[in-house]
Each structure stands twice: as C-alpha cells, then as structure tokens.
C-alpha cells in the first residue's frame, strides 16, 4: 500500500479508528459519484445476508465469481453485513491517508491500534488490499490500488480480511480446510499445504454421489449439530495436475498463466449440480500421502486432528489466536478423526470417503 508504508504520517491530529472508517466510507461515496456506482451484488452465507456495493464495475469480475453459488436476488432486503469496495485505478479516488506507519504493521496484516475494539483494519500485503470492519454497524470497506493487479488467489478466496473477522464475532469460525459430503452430511479435509486437501476435494467431483464444499477455506457454525458452510466455489491445483482433471478444464480461470500460478477453478455454473452450500459435520479426515498400496482410513486422535487443523488456521487467517484454539479444541472433541491414507489408487479415494459417509450417521 503506497499510503502507510513509510513512517507514521505527521498529522495535525490523530484521528480515531471510527473517524478513519467514516472518512474511508466518504471516499467510497466519492468514488461512486465519479464512476456511476454503486453496483450491488448480494449473497447468503450461513443464514447471513451479505451485500456488496461496488463503486465501479472493475472489481466485480475479481471478487464475485467465487460467491456465485451463494448469490441471492434479495438486493433490497436488509443486510446483515454491508461491504463497500473500490479501487483507485478505475475510479481515480484513493484511500484516505492512513494514520499509521510501517512500524505499526503486526503479523498477518493486523495493524497496531486497529487490531482490537469495534474497528479492525487488516492490510494483506500479498493482495495489496486494505480491509476495514466496523462491528458497531456491521459494515466493512475493501480497497485496492488497481483491480487489474489483484492476484488470482484473491479471486479464488476473496475478502479474507473481512469475512473471517466478522463471522468470528458472530461465533462462527473460518478454518483452513477442505470439505466434501453427501447431501445430508460431510467431512473436513485438514492439514498443512501440500497434504492433499485440494486434490482430494476436487477429485470427489468425479464421484456421482459426492458434493463439494471447499478445498481450502470453509466456515463452521458450532450450534449443534456443527455445520460446514461452503464459502467459495473455487479450487486450486498444481498445474501438472490439470491434464489429469479433464472434467475441470472448462472451469479453469487462469489457463494462460499456469507457468507462474496454480490452476484456479471456478466451479459455478458448470458444476453447480455438484456444489452444496451447507451440511452437518460427521468427521475430520487428515489426508496423508503414502504413495503405495490402497487408500484406507485409520483412527486419529483428537490431538492429531488439532495439530492438523489449528496451526494453519491460526497462521493463515489474521486476528485469530487463543479463542480460535479453544474453538478448534472443542471441535476435535466433538467429532471423530481419521487419517485418510492416500495410496497409489487415486481414483478410488472418493469411494473410500463415500463409503464412510453412507455407513456412519
């Protein structure tokens, strides 16, 4: 972010977080007037109505595709959360000069003075995106310098500076996990990057009776029974795996950039009938690549499940800490966990998952 990367600006007075949020919102309104906005898109996630307001159309194809399976037509209904989005390049309107300097940046994009209380600010450097969340009025702001430069992984999993924070305040937890299931129950796929979560989740699309919820991030609602909510209709694979996924090729978003990027698939609308929005959680699977023999399940302890899930969730999502650990500890005690030992028969992996789901309540 050009603003806020140097020393703390010398202002006549230090504005409060609430004042900064208000000034940023006023800049959004100026951007709307200069660009013909706002343009509204609405979606429903975990029984919450979320309305996106774009100052110009430039960010719509960047942010909206991953939420297409959750879109609603309730554009005039009451929103549980409103998010205001704009970029400088298409509107000519910059972000307000932030009242912080480079010394105020904390781990995972949090910002000193804006990491607690009613107003939160997160700057994700890899996305060059500033996010503000106002919990008193359930409104948020998203700003980037140039919509054309938003990286592909933001399109695959947008608004990570806003949605995890806001839902956390509502008692729901974003987690770093994949999820698949049948129509009335599902399993989490957990583990660090490279453990086989994405490959396993996307492979399940080949099974006629399995449904897809996530490959990387999903939302958990802890009200009994624990529910898995699909957030994004996207998935990522290493480019070398694309040829083996011919059924997914028509959903490939970045086919011309695979030398430098993972393959990003946007599964709606072509695979809409294989997507499910929410299912009760039945078990936690920890993929484990063995590369030999057949694929099979073996028991895992709650501690094993915690170690596979907690570190990556806490490290990847800003603002998560001790309370998150407590919630995950509660989760792994509530449902059984298994190692999903991935053998040399990848095409049979979905069958192992399906057999477990139909055989267990």
């Amino acid at each position: 972010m050009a603003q806020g990367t140097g020393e703390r600006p010398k202002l006549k007075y230090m504005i409060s977080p609430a004042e900064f949020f208000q000034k940023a919102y006023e800049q959004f309104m100026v951007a709307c007037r200069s660009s013909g906005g706002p343009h509204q898109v609405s979606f429903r996630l975990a029984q919450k109505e979320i309305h996106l307001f774009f100052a110009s159309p430039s960010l719509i194809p960047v942010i909206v595709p991953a939420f297409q399976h959750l879109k609603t037509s309730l554009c005039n209904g009451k929103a549980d959360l409103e998010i205001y989005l704009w970029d400088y390049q298409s509107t000519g309107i910059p972000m307000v000069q932030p009242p912080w300097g480079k010394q105020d940046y904390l781990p995972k994009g949090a910002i000193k003075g804006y990491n607690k209380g009613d107003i939160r600010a997160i700057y994700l450097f890899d996305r060059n995106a500033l996010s503000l969340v106002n919990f008193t009025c359930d409104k948020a702001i998203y700003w980037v310098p140039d919509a054309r430069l938003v990286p592909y992984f933001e399109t695959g999993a947008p608004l990570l500076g806003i949605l995890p924070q806001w839902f956390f305040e509502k008692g729901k937890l974003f987690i770093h996990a994949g999820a698949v299931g049948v129509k009335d129950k599902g399993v989490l796929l957990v583990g660090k990057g490279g453990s086989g979560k994405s490959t396993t989740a996307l492979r399940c699309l080949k099974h006629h009776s399995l449904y897809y919820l996530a490959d990387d991030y999903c939302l958990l609602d802890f009200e009994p029974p624990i529910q898995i909510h699909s957030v994004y209709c996207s998935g990522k694979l290493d480019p070398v795996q694309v040829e083996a996924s011919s059924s997914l090729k028509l959903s490939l978003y970045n086919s011309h950039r695979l030398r430098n990027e993972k393959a990003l698939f946007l599964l709606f609308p072509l695979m809409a009938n294989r997507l499910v929005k929410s299912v009760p959680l039945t078990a936690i699977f920890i993929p484990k690549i063995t590369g030999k023999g057949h694929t099979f399940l073996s028991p895992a302890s709650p501690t094993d499940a915690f170690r596979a899930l907690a570190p990556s969730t806490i490290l990847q999502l800003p603002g998560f800490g001790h309370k998150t650990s407590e919630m995950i500890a509660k989760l792994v005690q509530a449902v059984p966990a298994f190692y999903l030992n991935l053998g040399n028969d990848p095409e049979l992996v979905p069958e192992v998952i399906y057999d477990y789901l139909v055989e267990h309540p």
Side-chain angles (χ1 to χ4, degrees), residues 50-305:
I50 300 172
H51 294 180
L52 308 180
F53 297 93
F54 296 88
S56 76
S58 62
L59 276 170
I60 293 176
V62 175
I63 300 296
V64 171
F67 299 116
Q68 287 281 10
H69 64 311
L70 304 177
K71 280 182 65 177
T72 70
S73 59
L74 301 177
C75 292
N76 296 318
K78 177 175 171 51
D80 295 291
L81 172 65
E82 295 182 354
I83 305 176
Y84 309 102
L85 309 92
W86 90 98
D87 74 305
Y88 170 74
Q89 188 277 328
S90 72
T91 65
I93 306 301
M95 174 53 70
V96 181
Q97 176 67 52
W100 59 75
K102 64 181 181 182
Q103 72 279 3
D104 296 314
Y105 288 107
L106 303 172
K108 296 178 289 185
I111 299 169
K112 185 178 180 180
Y114 287 75
N115 58 321
K116 299 177 182 179
D118 294 331
I119 309 289
R120 308 281 174 83
I122 291 173
Y123 183 70
L124 298 179
F125 284 87
D126 59 345
R127 291 161 167 80
N128 206 12
L130 176 65
S131 299
L132 304 171
V133 185
N134 188 329
F135 296 107
T136 61
C137 59
D138 292 316
K139 300 182 187 299
I141 291 170
Y142 174 93
W143 180 87
V144 292
D146 190 338
R148 299 171 302 179
L149 301 179
V150 172
Y152 77 100
F153 47 83
E154 174 75 342
T155 297
L159 305 181
L160 284 177
I162 294 174
L163 295 177
Q165 297 279 323
W166 187 78
F167 274 104
F168 191 69
E169 293 294 314
K170 308 298 180 184
K172 298 174 174 59
L173 183 64
F174 257 69
I175 59 169
H176 180 229
V180 296
V182 290
K183 284 191 174 181
D184 59 349
K185 51 190 168 180
V187 299
L188 292 177
L189 304 169
V190 307
K192 63 183 181 180
S195 62
K197 296 190 307 296
S198 293
T199 304
T200 300
L202 289 166
R203 186 171 284 136
C204 287
L205 288 166
K206 296 182 178 182
H207 193 286
H208 66 281
S209 296
L210 285 175
Y211 294 84
Y212 180 93
L213 289 97
D215 83 315
D216 211 18
Y217 298 103
C218 52
L219 179 65
L220 291 187
D221 188 337
F222 285 80
E223 291 296 324
I226 298 173
Q227 292 280 128
I228 315 169
H229 298 284
S230 172
V231 183
Y232 307 121
C233 61
S234 59
K236 297 192 298 294
L237 287 176
D238 287 329
V240 295
Q241 297 176 288
V242 172
E243 289 303 318
S245 306
S246 56
S247 61
L248 291 174
K249 280 186 178 179
L250 293 176
S251 299
L252 187 58
Y253 169 77
N254 56 341
S255 58
H256 57 297
R257 301 197 301 267
L258 296 185
R259 286 188 177 183
N260 303 309
E261 301 175 356
K262 283 190 172 184
L264 173 64
F265 302 96
L266 296 171
L267 302 175
F268 189 96
L270 292 178
M271 306 196 80
N273 64 331
R274 308 307 311 283
L275 306 176
V276 64
K277 297 177 183 178
S278 179
V279 293
L281 173 62
T282 297
I284 298 170
F285 286 2
I286 308 170
K288 186 177 178 181
I289 299 172
T290 68
K292 56 185 179 180
H294 64 284
T295 296
F296 65 97
L297 295 173
S298 60
S301 70
T303 300
D304 295 332

Side-chain angles (χ1 to χ4, degrees), residues 310-327:
S312 61
T313 294
I314 293 170
L315 287 173
Q316 290 203 25
L317 295 172
F320 286 13
H322 181 67
K323 187 176 178 182
T324 304
S325 296
E326 292 180 345
M327 294 172 78

